[in-house]
Amino acid sequence: DAKTTQPPSMDCAEGRAANLPCNHSTISGNEYVYWYRQIHSQGPQYIIHGLKNNETNEMASLIITEDRKSSTLILPHATLRDTAVYYCIVRNYNTDKLIFGTGTRLQVFP
Amino acid sequence: GAVVSQHPSWVICKSGTSVKIECRSLDFQATTMFWYRQFPKQSLMLMATSNEGSKATYEQGVEKDKFLINHASLTLSTLTVTSAHPEDSSFYICSAIRDRGPGNTIYFGEGSWLTVV
């Protein structure tokens, strides 16, 4: 399974954009990058996923580098409710497994 | 709203007893579901892959006789913790795939807290 590397923690001011980086240098050509977040004591919440093109939905934007070795999740206007642990995961093409790493703990402050 | 539901949300049981946790896909058929456990301040650890109509596939180090998984229908998978011990106390989470295929979304349940006393 392709591994991902994320910074353990980040801070962001409320209303500002939160940019969460992720390295996945061993990703295969047909593997997707998924982002989930987990708020304390809840199940992970799906945010976005992509293969090679940049993606945007109502929650966030996903920017994937051309070589696909890294990506950035962008929360355009962070709110206090966005405080959570964010997980960047490479989905295994054959098994569909999602193997979670340690994630980034994002703290949004007033 | 939630598309994957777990029941119960929390349960307390005595040591030595068995407890069952259900995972349901609410508005879609899920041929594959996954079970995770999470200890406080740690990440999710994949326990097993549950396939409808066949035996579950367990990750290395997970005792299949202790964590019984049954995926009897396309909308329901169950995890039974047998002969529970205090060290089995954890947050158990399931996920389900709406459709097979690498670009499709995997949804997670709300999780179930198990406390063994």
Side-chain angles (χ1 to χ4, degrees):
Chain A
D1 297 308
K3 292 185 181 294
T4 61
T5 304
Q6 299 177 254
S9 63
M10 294 182 65
D11 291 336
C12 179
E14 189 177 21
R16 304 295 292 270
N19 297 293
L20 290 84
C22 179
N23 287 323
H24 32 77
S25 58
T26 61
I27 193 170
S28 299
N30 53 12
E31 291 180 323
Y32 281 71
V33 179
Y34 282 74
W35 284 83
Y36 287 81
R37 71 181 182 184
Q38 187 178 28
I39 297 170
H40 182 62
S41 299
Q42 298 181 23
Q45 178 188 21
Y46 167 78
I47 301 173
I48 201 167
H49 72 274
L51 181 62
K52 53 184 177 181
N53 296 323
N54 296 337
E55 302 287 345
T56 295
N57 62 21
E58 64 278 4
M59 289 184 68
S61 295
L62 174 61
I63 308 298
I64 303 175
T65 58
E66 191 169 344
D67 63 8
R68 301 188 69 241
K69 293 185 177 182
S70 65
S71 60
T72 300
L73 178 75
I74 301 173
L75 307 178
H77 305 286
T79 70
L80 298 178
R81 288 179 294 181
D82 292 322
T83 293
V85 178
Y86 287 76
Y87 295 98
C88 165
I89 308 165
V90 173
R91 178 171 172 175
N92 185 286
Y93 181 81
N94 294 315
T95 66
D96 285 325
K97 292 181 183 178
L98 293 178
I99 304 299
F100 284 74
T102 53
T104 295
R105 183 173 298 277
L106 176 68
Q107 179 69 53
V108 181
F109 57 91
Chain B
V3 295
V4 175
S5 178
Q6 287 184 235
H7 178 80
S9 299
W10 58 269
V11 58
I12 301 173
C13 72
K14 293 183 178 181
S15 288
T17 62
S18 296
V19 60
K20 180 184 290 185
I21 300 171
E22 294 184 346
C23 176
R24 294 182 183 274
S25 55
L26 298 182
D27 61 353
F28 65 97
Q29 294 182 331
T31 56
T32 302
M33 293 183 174
F34 301 91
W35 286 95
Y36 295 80
R37 69 187 299 183
Q38 185 178 31
F39 293 109
K41 298 187 177 182
Q42 295 186 22
S43 186
L44 285 77
M45 184 193 79
L46 180 64
M47 299 175 66
T49 302
S50 171
N51 294 299
E52 188 267 338
S54 63
K55 291 184 178 180
T57 303
Y58 291 82
E59 296 297 305
Q60 190 173 7
V62 178
E63 300 175 62
K64 61 181 181 181
D65 294 330
K66 181 168 185 60
F67 299 99
L68 301 180
I69 292 173
N70 184 277
H71 195 153
S73 76
L74 287 171
T75 60
L76 174 64
S77 176
T78 60
L79 168 68
T80 301
V81 182
T82 63
S83 186
H85 291 286
E87 56 264 32
D88 298 324
S89 299
S90 186
F91 190 46
Y92 291 88
I93 310 166
C94 72
S95 66
I97 302 176
R98 185 188 288 267
D99 297 296
R100 291 306 297 267
N104 294 314
T105 302
I106 298 178
Y107 297 96
F108 284 81
E110 313 97 321
S112 299
W113 284 100
L114 170 63
T115 300
V116 184
V117 297

